[in-house]
Amino acid sequence: QRLKAAVHYTVGCLVQDVAEDKEMQFSKQTIAAISEITFRQCENFAKDLEMFARHAKRSTVTTEDVKLLARRSNSLLKYITQKSEELAASNMEQKEKKKKKSSAAKGGRTSGEQEAAVTESEDSNMA
């Protein structure tokens, strides 16, 4: 019920913005109908995402499942793909920072310093 109320509130805000922009009004019945359709569509999306993950023998929904769901809307698919790539890049940056912090905290060398040390030891072994 709370989720349904939140959807109704959000739809009401969006409809109000559109109404002001287009200089028109929407009845409460229209807003309620849009809210109900939106809520049902979200339920369908959730079921589809579960099925996509289950079909792939996974228990977790991934970004690939979401992209599959959005495949019929080119603009939405493009947006989701872009955001997914941004998140992946951000996660990689954070992992790199964690690696550097953990190796520095252990008094270890960075990967570049380790390579230099290996090269030095190899050179001294050859002499």
Side-chain angles (χ1 to χ4, degrees), residues 32-52:
I34 294 170
S35 295
E36 185 63 28
I37 291 168
T38 302
F39 191 79
R40 287 186 187 176
Q41 188 63 42
C42 288
E43 287 179 327
N44 290 335
F45 285 164
K47 288 176 186 172
D48 286 347
L49 288 170
E50 281 184 57
M51 290 297 143
F52 294 157

Side-chain angles (χ1 to χ4, degrees), residues 115-127:
E115 288 173 14
V118 168
T119 306
E120 281 179 23
S121 66
E122 287 174 353
D123 289 345
S124 64
N125 289 339
M126 289 184 176

Side-chain angles (χ1 to χ4, degrees), residues 30-86:
T30 302
I31 295 170
I34 294 170
S35 295
E36 185 63 28
I37 291 168
T38 302
F39 191 79
R40 287 186 187 176
Q41 188 63 42
C42 288
E43 287 179 327
N44 290 335
F45 285 164
K47 288 176 186 172
D48 286 347
L49 288 170
E50 281 184 57
M51 290 297 143
F52 294 157
R54 189 177 300 156
H55 179 74
K57 297 181 177 29
R58 287 184 275 105
S59 58
T60 304
V61 173
T62 66
T63 54
E64 293 307 312
D65 298 323
V66 177
K67 289 178 189 177
L68 184 60
L69 182 71
R71 70 191 180 281
R72 291 192 180 105
S73 172
N74 288 332
S75 60
L76 180 59
L77 180 58
K78 185 178 176 182
Y79 179 80
I80 289 171
T81 301
Q82 177 188 355
K83 289 296 178 185
S84 172
E85 289 169 358
E86 287 175 12

Side-chain angles (χ1 to χ4, degrees), residues 7 20 23 28 58 64 78 83 88 99 102 115:
V7 169
E20 289 172 5
E23 297 178 3
K28 289 184 178 183
R58 287 184 275 105
E64 293 307 312
K78 185 178 176 182
K83 289 296 178 185
K99 282 183 183 178
S102 66
E115 288 173 14

